[in-house]
Amino acid sequence: ATLSEQGIFSLASWPFSFKFLWAPLVDSYYVQSVGQRRSWILPLQVTVGLSLLFTAGHLDRLIYQQEADIRVLSTIFFLIYILLASQDIAVDGWALSMLSRQNVGIASTC
């Protein structure tokens, strides 16, 4: 891969750097009967799994062909990273809600 292709692919990890932009939405919107965190964690986990299965089924076309397009592969991983960053927001919120007030400050050291 060329340096420019590597640079394009490195953009796929940006959702983890910018998850603070949609974290308030993850904390605010949920299905009350399911629960604040599980409303996000369960569907995101299923969607990530299905996305990875789809990607695995198409790896030959995405990577091993001579005409492989790094932009398509980068877009797929970018979308998966958005899902994973959203799940990370929900799981972190769940973990913080389980901690006692005196231990919340040290949670970031784990």
Side-chain angles (χ1 to χ4, degrees):
T2 66
L3 288 177
S4 63
E5 289 175 335
Q6 290 177 19
I8 290 170
F9 190 75
S10 71
L11 297 176
S13 64
W14 279 25
F16 274 93
S17 299
F18 293 107
K19 66 183 181 179
F20 68 90
L21 295 173
W22 69 92
L25 298 174
V26 174
D27 283 339
S28 299
Y29 297 106
Y30 59 94
V31 178
Q32 198 165 15
S33 62
V34 178
Q36 186 175 10
R37 308 302 175 195
R38 282 180 282 185
S39 295
W40 286 93
I41 294 171
L42 297 175
L44 286 169
Q45 190 69 43
V46 169
T47 308
V48 167
L50 293 174
S51 301
L52 291 174
L53 286 173
F54 171 81
T55 305
H58 293 86
L59 276 181
D60 285 338
R61 188 173 52 86
L62 293 170
I63 295 177
Y64 297 118
Q65 286 185 352
Q66 290 181 1
E67 300 290 325
D69 187 7
I70 193 71
R71 288 178 182 90
V72 173
L73 190 62
S74 297
T75 302
I76 291 170
F77 275 91
F78 183 80
L79 295 173
I80 291 171
Y81 271 50
I82 288 174
L83 296 171
L84 290 171
S86 301
Q87 180 184 344
D88 188 53
I89 293 166
V91 170
D92 287 348
W94 190 17
L96 287 174
S97 67
M98 290 190 296
L99 290 173
S100 65
R101 283 222 188 273
Q102 63 190 21
N103 291 332
V104 170
I106 61 172
S108 63
T109 61
C110 298

